[in-house]
Amino acid sequence: MRLRNLVFGLLSLSVLAPILLNIDSFSSFIPSFKQEFLEDVTAFILPADTSNLNILPQDESSAVLKEPIGILYTDNHSKTILTDKDLQLPDTGRALSATDEDAQSGKDDIIKQIIQSANQGKEETRTDRGADQESHQLKQQSALNSDKVGEKDALLTKTNKQSDQSPLPAAWERQLRDRLIKASVYLSLPATKNNLRFTRELRMRIKEVQRVLGDAIKDSDMPKNAYEKWKAMDQLLEKGKQMQYESANEVKKLRAMLHSTEEQLREHKKQTMSFATMVEKLRAMLHSTEEQLQVHKKQTMFLTQLTAKTLPKGLHCLPLRLTTEYYNLNSSEQQFPNQEILDNPLLHHIALFSDNVLAAAVVVNSTVTNSKHPSKLVFHLVSDRLNHAAMRMWFLVNPPGKATIQVQNIDEFTWLNSSYSPVLKQLHSQSMIDYYFRAHSANSDSNLKYRNPKYLSILNHLRFYLPEIFPKLKKVLFLDDDIVVQKDLTGLWSLDLKGNVNGAVETCRESFHRFDTYLNFSNPLISNNFDPRACGWAYGMNLFDLEEWKRQNITDVYHSWQNLNHDRQLWKLGTLPPGLITLWKRTHPLDRRWHVLGLGYNPNVSQIEIERGAVIHYNGNLKPWLEIGLPKYRKYWAKYVDYDNVYLRECNINP
């Protein structure tokens, strides 16, 4: 009965012990369970006669049992190694005796068989009350030896603590050397070299580990602080690893940035190439546009010159209508009044040379309208043979109020011929005809301005023969037919020209009106006698002292320069260049308010300047009687045109 109780007690212990020892989740209960297990084992008292335990067959008792492995419990978190020496119980008279080897082997065999039986019958329930009583007795006996088991448990706890404080694995001397190699590798990496602080610290750790290792060839040769150095080196190497990782990330970022930059660069190159192509196209378009612009400018200039040279239909009708009416008059009706005072030097004589009836009418009308003493005005109008009758008829029908007018035909000046006038001889020469009418010849000028047929008219050159035309006069006010008089001009006749022949307004404010614009200074005859930056002056309203003219023999000076310019090498055609040369240092500057220029080409003439000007001049191609005239200036001219006149209505001349 006692044997059966003993077996069931051992079975209970053997069933519970493996379960608690092999489950990781109950690792925290290992120490207490070990203590209970040992208490139960040590408390179990075998009878003195151990032969009664050999309940197994005798043939099995003789079998050789292997020595049990000394590992009680092992998990993945911590390794606790308990040897047989650690588990050897103290020798007591009442405990399991180890003096008899056979008895001990028999006991071990019995325990093995009991454990195996317990594993097979762990589902059985204990129903025997006697087994419970025996178990209770076993517990009482184990309590007697609790003190001794406590000592053993303390020994186990001490062993565990030592294991926790020394986490270095076996052959850790070799691992330290491996870490030295790894540290040396880190020292050679770029990320480490760029961090001086880390490099210094790593070198210091290397030296410390080298000192720890020293001449050690096994783990027992290591000093006590080897673990701390090992841990410090591991931490530093982990930091180096992180640095390498960060450096690798930086390299990846830089590579990504480089890739992105390269992509952007390629895109910019494409855009640049596209932009360059676009620029080339724009340049080609600009060049083409400039060429077209030049063509249009030439066409515009040609059309403007053509329009300026072409007589509008109304202005062509007007002289024809007037000429017809003039020849229907008898001889007495064709005469002007007050012809006896034409040579009176005390009167204010105005010279006007024109073939435009309407333009001459505006000059006379505006001068008389704004004169304070119109009875003192004497107009000397000279026209060509074609327009002489029309001019006379107009002023016979539209007399200039109290003023006196004389209309002459240039053909009546018999003294003006090619033998006397060099310019008249040139105008009739074949070379001049070729110059004007053969535009594609080698000697033709590309500038249409200088091929204007008005330069062929001798009327344009009569201003250089004023003393011959008016031999009895002392002063003459010369007016062009494209001017409008807005103020009284009486004050001009009282001006002192200080010994000069010409009184005119200078044009210094505009650089293109200086001498070098009109004269060829590459020719020594010009460059040796004149200043290229000298101020030019304007024809259109000029006060001429005829007495000084005769005294200084200006007409001969003019003829001499005209002879020198027979091949047009000193200046092109026109009257201003020879006027500048002939009257060089013989011109008295007038106040600018007497003569305002530019209304025939400049759209930016100040309105204030226009309104305060005594005479406004439509010099240029944009004449006010042409459709191409500037509209904002036309009103100053149209103010003195009587559009209700019967002749103007018949010829459809409207504002």
Side-chain angles (χ1 to χ4, degrees):
M1 184 69 182
R2 294 182 60 185
L3 179 60
R4 192 175 67 176
N5 292 338
L6 175 62
V7 170
F8 280 107
L10 292 174
L11 284 173
S12 301
L13 294 174
S14 62
V15 168
L16 295 174
I19 294 173
L20 295 174
L21 290 174
N22 292 310
I23 299 175
D24 291 342
S25 61
F26 295 107
S27 61
S28 61
F29 300 100
I30 290 175
S32 61
F33 178 75
K34 288 179 181 179
Q35 183 176 358
E36 292 177 0
F37 176 75
L38 292 176
E39 287 176 358
D40 292 338
V41 173
T42 55
F44 181 74
I45 302 174
L46 295 174
D49 188 5
T50 59
S51 61
N52 295 329
L53 294 174
N54 297 328
I55 62 174
L56 299 176
Q58 293 297 322
D59 54 37
E60 293 179 2
S61 65
S62 63
V64 179
L65 299 177
K66 294 182 180 181
E67 184 179 357
I69 299 172
I71 298 175
L72 281 181
Y73 173 71
T74 302
D75 62 9
N76 295 328
H77 300 287
S78 63
K79 296 182 180 180
T80 304
I81 303 173
L82 299 179
T83 63
D84 293 339
K85 183 179 180 179
D86 296 328
L87 294 176
Q88 186 176 358
L89 299 177
D91 187 13
T92 59
R94 303 175 62 183
L96 293 174
S97 176
T99 59
D100 192 349
E101 293 180 358
D102 295 335
Q104 183 66 33
S105 300
K107 296 175 185 177
D108 292 339
D109 190 20
I110 293 171
I111 293 171
K112 180 177 180 182
Q113 293 178 12
I114 292 171
I115 291 172
Q116 291 175 353
S117 299
N119 290 334
Q120 296 174 358
K122 58 184 177 180
E123 299 293 335
E124 298 179 359
T125 53
R126 290 181 294 177
T127 57
D128 195 338
R129 184 180 299 175
D132 293 338
Q133 292 177 356
E134 290 295 331
S135 177
H136 180 68
Q137 291 177 0
L138 288 173
K139 290 180 180 180
Q140 288 179 351
Q141 291 177 0
S142 64
L144 297 175
N145 297 318
S146 61
D147 294 338
K148 295 181 180 180
V149 175
E151 294 177 358
K152 185 63 178 180
D153 187 60
L155 179 61
L156 292 174
T157 304
K158 182 178 180 181
T159 303
N160 291 336
K161 289 182 179 180
Q162 290 176 354
S163 177
D164 293 338
Q165 293 176 358
S166 303
L168 292 173
W172 63 291
E173 178 268 341
R174 180 175 54 81
Q175 294 188 21
L176 280 177
R177 296 190 184 278
D178 291 342
R179 280 161 174 74
L180 283 178
I181 296 173
K182 188 175 182 180
S184 300
V185 172
Y186 277 173
L187 282 176
S188 63
L189 296 178
T192 306
K193 292 180 179 180
N194 295 332
N195 192 331
L196 297 179
R197 181 177 179 182
F198 178 80
T199 303
R200 289 195 297 267
E201 186 175 358
L202 186 60
R203 287 175 178 172
M204 181 183 71
R205 295 301 177 191
I206 290 174
K207 291 180 181 179
E208 289 178 352
V209 172
Q210 288 175 345
R211 285 196 296 268
V212 168
L213 289 173
D215 299 329
I217 58 175
K218 59 183 179 178
D219 295 350
S220 60
D221 296 337
M222 298 293 106
K224 294 181 179 180
N225 62 346
Y227 174 72
E228 288 79 4
K229 304 301 181 184
W230 182 78
K231 292 295 291 183
M233 176 62 81
D234 260 7
Q235 293 175 358
L236 193 59
L237 291 177
E238 185 64 26
K239 183 178 179 181
K241 181 179 179 181
Q242 184 65 25
M243 288 176 57
Q244 299 305 319
Y245 177 75
E246 292 176 355
S247 177
N249 288 339
E250 291 295 328
V251 170
K252 289 181 180 179
K253 290 180 181 179
L254 290 175
R255 286 178 178 173
M257 292 174 61
L258 179 60
H259 180 71
S260 176
T261 304
E262 289 177 348
E263 290 292 334
Q264 293 178 2
L265 182 59
R266 283 193 290 270
E267 186 65 25
H268 287 317
K269 284 183 178 179
K270 292 180 181 178
Q271 293 178 357
T272 302
M273 293 176 64
S274 176
F275 180 74
T277 304
M278 186 182 299
V279 168
E280 290 299 326
K281 290 182 179 179
L282 289 175
R283 284 178 178 173
M285 291 173 62
L286 181 60
H287 181 69
S288 175
T289 305
E290 287 178 348
E291 289 183 345
Q292 293 178 6
L293 181 61
Q294 293 299 326
V295 171
H296 288 313
K297 281 184 176 180
K298 290 181 179 179
Q299 291 177 351
T300 302
M301 183 180 295
F302 173 78
L303 294 174
T304 302
Q305 295 288 347
L306 182 62
T307 305
K309 293 182 288 186
T310 303
L311 191 65
K313 183 178 180 181
L315 296 181
H316 180 69
C317 167
L318 182 61
L320 293 178
R321 183 74 178 83
L322 291 171
T323 300
T324 303
E325 292 292 333
Y326 178 77
Y327 286 111
N328 289 331
L329 298 176
N330 54 44
S331 60
S332 61
E333 293 174 339
Q334 294 177 354
Q335 302 301 317
F336 290 100
N338 303 323
Q339 296 299 298
E340 67 278 0
I341 63 172
L342 294 178
D343 296 330
N344 187 349
L346 300 178
L347 299 178
H348 301 159
H349 298 270
I350 299 174
L352 177 61
F353 309 141
S354 175
D355 57 359
N356 189 325
V357 175
L358 190 59
V362 170
V363 174
V364 173
N365 189 21
S366 62
T367 305
V368 173
T369 301
N370 293 286
S371 176
K372 295 180 180 179
H373 308 284
S375 59
K376 292 185 177 182
L377 297 176
V378 178
F379 292 94
H380 301 273
L381 199 153
V382 179
S383 185
D384 57 8
R385 178 174 51 185
L386 184 63
N387 295 283
H388 175 256
M391 199 76 68
R392 291 184 66 89
M393 185 64 191
W394 176 267
F395 288 105
L396 287 172
V397 177
N398 303 285
K402 297 180 180 180
T404 301
I405 190 167
Q406 178 190 23
V407 179
Q408 295 177 283
N409 185 354
I410 193 174
D411 291 339
E412 297 174 1
F413 304 148
T414 56
W415 49 267
L416 187 60
N417 50 56
S418 57
S419 61
Y420 174 71
S421 174
V423 67
L424 189 59
K425 182 179 180 179
Q426 294 174 13
L427 292 176
H428 294 164
S429 65
Q430 186 62 41
S431 62
M432 189 69 68
I433 295 173
D434 292 342
Y435 179 80
Y436 276 110
F437 298 105
R438 297 181 184 178
H440 300 289
S441 64
N443 296 327
S444 63
D445 197 295
S446 60
N447 194 337
L448 293 175
K449 175 181 177 181
Y450 298 112
R451 300 210 314 269
N452 195 324
K454 73 177 183 179
Y455 298 126
L456 288 173
S457 174
I458 192 60
L459 285 174
N460 203 40
H461 296 269
L462 280 182
R463 64 195 68 188
F464 294 102
Y465 298 100
L466 289 174
E468 287 80 1
I469 298 172
F470 310 111
K472 297 180 180 180
L473 299 182
K474 295 181 179 180
K475 285 185 178 181
V476 171
L477 179 64
F478 172 78
L479 297 178
D480 268 339
D481 62 356
D482 56 353
I483 62 100
V484 173
V485 178
Q486 299 186 126
K487 302 289 176 61
D488 179 42
L489 303 180
T490 304
L492 288 173
W493 278 272
S494 61
L495 286 177
D496 182 9
L497 298 182
K498 299 180 179 179
N500 291 296
V501 176
N502 177 31
V505 171
E506 292 183 334
T507 56
C508 298
R509 291 196 305 179
E510 297 174 341
S511 60
F512 60 87
H513 280 166
R514 295 184 181 271
F515 270 47
D516 57 354
T517 305
Y518 303 100
L519 304 177
N520 180 19
F521 275 85
S522 62
N523 192 300
L525 288 175
I526 299 297
S527 59
N528 293 335
N529 291 280
F530 305 102
D531 181 5
R533 303 304 298 163
C535 290
W537 44 267
Y539 267 129
M541 192 215 72
N542 304 83
L543 182 65
F544 291 107
D545 188 337
L546 299 183
E547 292 182 338
E548 285 294 332
W549 186 301
K550 296 173 184 177
R551 187 178 300 113
Q552 299 182 29
N553 203 7
I554 299 300
T555 301
D556 288 343
V557 174
Y558 168 71
H559 284 171
S560 63
W561 282 107
Q562 283 288 358
N563 288 326
L564 292 172
N565 193 45
H566 64 91
D567 55 356
R568 295 181 301 279
Q569 295 301 312
L570 303 183
W571 69 85
K572 300 298 182 181
L573 296 179
T575 56
L576 183 57
L580 296 177
I581 290 178
T582 302
L583 300 173
W584 165 251
K585 296 183 179 181
R586 297 182 177 93
T587 299
H588 176 71
L590 301 179
D591 191 294
R592 295 184 59 84
R593 290 175 295 181
W594 284 111
H595 189 187
V596 177
L597 300 163
L599 277 70
Y601 68 89
N602 183 9
N604 300 315
V605 181
S606 171
Q607 184 177 356
I608 297 176
E609 189 175 0
I610 292 174
E611 291 177 353
R612 71 180 183 179
V615 172
I616 56 175
H617 193 177
Y618 292 85
N619 56 314
N621 291 320
L622 308 180
K623 304 300 183 184
W625 55 83
L626 300 176
E627 292 184 0
I628 62 174
L630 296 173
K632 65 178 182 178
Y633 300 147
R634 187 174 294 162
K635 61 182 180 179
Y636 301 107
W637 183 84
K639 179 180 178 181
Y640 299 99
V641 178
D642 183 11
Y643 289 101
D644 293 330
N645 186 280
V646 61
Y647 296 107
L648 298 184
R649 290 201 308 269
E650 290 176 356
C651 292
N652 292 322
I653 298 176
N654 302 309

